[in-house]
Amino acid sequence: MQVQVHTNQIEGSARLQEWVSAEVMDRLDHFDEMLTRVVVHISDENAHKSGSDDKRCQIEARPKGLQPISVTHKAESLELAIDGAVDKLSNALAHQFG
């Protein structure tokens, strides 16, 4: 499974991209053979202003031979947004594959 990480209004450092990729791969490891690619989009919707639920994580998984599955989660921190989106995607994939 290939993981791509894209950022918007957030510094997309190599460390951040490695952490997000590792988190996604670790949590979705049991779907590895069924997925070709996972694309993660993380953004700060209020730019550099503070606010509740202004961090957004959208993840699109591409299962082999099936339509892509996309989920989105917003939270007050990047970690919570990513965690919530990965949880949603894991549940959606479990439902898709039984």
Side-chain angles (χ1 to χ4, degrees):
M1 159 179 47
Q2 178 186 9
V3 177
Q4 297 175 337
V5 180
H6 302 278
T7 60
N8 186 20
Q9 300 291 337
I10 294 174
E11 183 182 333
S13 67
R15 182 177 170 197
L16 174 65
Q17 292 193 12
E18 289 172 11
W19 176 76
V20 172
S21 293
E23 188 72 19
V24 169
M25 291 178 80
D26 183 52
R27 304 258 311 272
L28 300 179
D29 185 52
H30 51 288
F31 298 112
D32 185 42
E33 294 297 317
M34 298 169 227
L35 301 175
T36 58
R37 180 173 51 188
V38 176
V39 182
V40 181
H41 296 274
I42 50 178
S43 61
D44 185 338
E45 295 195 330
N46 291 339
H48 299 291
K49 302 174 203 167
S50 62
S52 64
D53 293 347
D54 69 332
K55 306 300 187 275
R56 179 178 181 267
C57 179
Q58 187 264 329
I59 305 177
E60 181 181 288
R62 300 190 181 222
K64 294 177 183 174
L66 299 171
Q67 291 294 316
I69 297 171
S70 180
V71 298
T72 301
H73 190 77
K74 293 181 180 181
E76 61 189 30
S77 71
L78 278 179
E79 294 81 10
L80 292 174
I82 293 164
D83 188 52
V86 173
D87 278 347
K88 286 181 181 181
L89 182 59
S90 182
N91 290 336
L93 291 170
H95 180 74
Q96 178 78 36
F97 297 123

